[in-house]
């Protein structure tokens, strides 16, 4: 009994170290997974803090949309900031994706109820990948013929030319501004890492523009983390 009491604090210490190891490893894995996911986004504004188009409700014949150019193949997802004005709206809203504002072809459409829309939150619209999307212009928009003033949602956006390769569209014409949106592409982990490398070295001088410098830093960081894990494991075994 005395021996058990003596060993109990030691056991607790080992448990704390093991929990720390798992949290550290899990946190690094989560950061890596999330980072690779975000690398699928290309060529669009994502800042939802500068929005000032929220007075424009999607209702009746009034639609809000955006043109954009896909920089890569396999366009498969579009995220848009939606706003509910802090109220519970009730009517259906439809998201449309088309080749252009003038095209009659609908590549994808999805209907959802405005009651499911949060305020100033990203909403995802996912569809089968478009394999030859690179370099092509697309147009998405929202319509809700049954919505009325005071019972309608809006799309986040910013007045001003923040996105050079497209424009916001209000009703049937281009507007001076852009919606807050991001497009996602089906990329392999290797392709995402290649994109990351290109972004890191872009427009940087000397060794800062050489990807080998960052690979070396990554290797050194990896070795350091392995040593930390090894030391923690030794602590658990030696106690």
């Amino acid at each position: 009994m005395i021996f058990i009491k003596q060993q109990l604090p030691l056991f607790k210490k080992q448990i704390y170290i093991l929990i720390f190891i798992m949290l550290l490893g899990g946190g690094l894995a989560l950061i890596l997974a999330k980072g690779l996911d975000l690398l699928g986004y290309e060529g669009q504004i994502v800042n939802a803090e500068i929005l000032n188009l929220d007075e424009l409700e999607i209702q009746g014949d009034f639609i809000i949309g955006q043109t954009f150019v896909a920089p890569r193949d396999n366009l498969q997802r579009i995220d848009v900031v939606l706003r509910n004005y802090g109220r519970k709206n009730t009517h259906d809203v439809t998201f449309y994706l088309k080749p252009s504002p003038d095209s009659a072809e609908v590549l994808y459409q999805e209907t959802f109820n405005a009651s499911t829309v949060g305020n100033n939150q990203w909403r995802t619209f996912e569809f089968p990948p478009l394999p030859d999307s690179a370099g092509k212009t697309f147009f998405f928009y929202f319509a809700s013929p049954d919505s009325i003033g005071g019972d309608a949602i809006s799309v986040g956006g910013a007045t001003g030319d923040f996105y050079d390769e497209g424009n916001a569209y209000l009703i049937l014409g281009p507007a001076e501004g852009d919606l807050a949106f991001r497009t996602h592409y089906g990329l392999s982990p290797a392709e995402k890492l290649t994109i990351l490398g290109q972004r890191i070295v872009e427009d940087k001088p000397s060794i800062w523009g050489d990807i080998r410098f960052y690979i070396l830093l990554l290797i050194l960081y990896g070795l350091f983390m392995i040593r930390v894990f090894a030391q923690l494991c030794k602590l658990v075994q030696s106690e």
Side-chain angles (χ1 to χ4, degrees):
M1 187 68 177
I2 296 176
F3 175 77
I4 294 177
K5 288 183 178 180
Q6 291 175 340
Q7 293 299 314
L8 189 57
L10 176 60
F11 176 73
K12 287 184 177 180
K13 186 176 181 180
Q14 291 174 332
I15 290 297
Y16 291 150
I17 294 175
L18 286 173
I19 291 174
F20 176 77
I21 292 174
M22 288 188 293
L23 289 175
L24 183 60
L28 290 173
L30 182 62
I31 291 172
L32 178 61
K34 186 63 176 177
L36 285 177
D37 180 57
L38 289 175
L39 284 175
Y41 297 114
E42 280 283 323
Q44 62 289 314
I45 63 171
V46 296
N47 188 349
E49 302 301 323
I50 56 175
L51 313 181
N52 50 15
L53 295 180
D54 59 344
E55 72 279 5
L56 304 175
E57 295 181 339
I58 303 168
Q59 56 164 310
D61 294 331
F62 190 85
I63 68 169
I64 299 179
Q66 173 78 37
T67 57
F68 67 95
V69 176
R72 298 184 180 276
D73 286 330
N74 295 313
L75 173 66
Q76 64 179 14
R77 177 174 138 191
I78 300 173
D79 297 343
V80 188
V81 172
L82 299 183
R83 291 184 158 184
N84 66 8
Y85 296 94
R87 64 192 179 215
K88 192 83 167 182
N89 302 294
T90 61
H91 296 284
D92 285 345
V93 182
T94 301
F95 167 89
Y96 295 93
L97 176 64
K98 300 170 62 176
S100 71
D102 299 326
S103 175
E105 180 184 6
V106 176
L107 301 173
Y108 177 76
Q109 71 180 70
E110 179 180 328
T111 300
F112 56 95
N113 193 267
S115 63
T116 65
V117 174
N119 194 39
N120 199 29
Q121 293 181 1
W122 292 102
R123 190 179 185 99
T124 294
F125 302 94
E126 194 161 3
F127 40 87
L130 304 177
D132 57 348
S133 58
K136 293 184 178 179
T137 298
F138 294 91
F139 173 61
F140 70 83
Y141 69 97
F142 295 86
S144 183
D146 295 331
S147 290
I148 58 176
D151 186 0
I153 65 169
S154 183
V155 182
T159 55
D161 192 11
F162 290 92
Y163 177 68
D164 294 334
E165 297 183 324
N167 288 98
Y169 268 68
L170 307 178
I171 306 180
L172 295 176
E176 186 64 31
D178 293 299
L179 302 188
F181 75 102
R182 55 193 184 194
T183 53
H184 193 284
Y185 303 83
L187 301 171
S188 68
E191 289 173 319
K192 291 182 178 182
L193 288 174
T194 300
I195 293 173
L196 175 60
Q198 292 171 347
R199 290 177 178 175
I200 288 175
V201 302
E202 187 177 11
D203 299 326
K204 290 187 173 63
S206 188
I207 63 170
W208 305 104
D210 190 337
I211 191 61
R212 292 172 295 182
F213 172 72
Y214 298 95
I215 293 175
L216 177 60
L217 289 181
L218 182 62
I219 292 173
L220 292 175
Y221 176 77
L223 293 174
F224 172 75
M225 293 306 301
I226 291 173
R227 181 173 178 81
V228 170
F229 276 107
Q231 291 297 323
L232 289 173
C233 291
K234 284 182 180 179
L235 282 176
V236 173
Q237 295 171 356
S238 63
E239 294 290 352

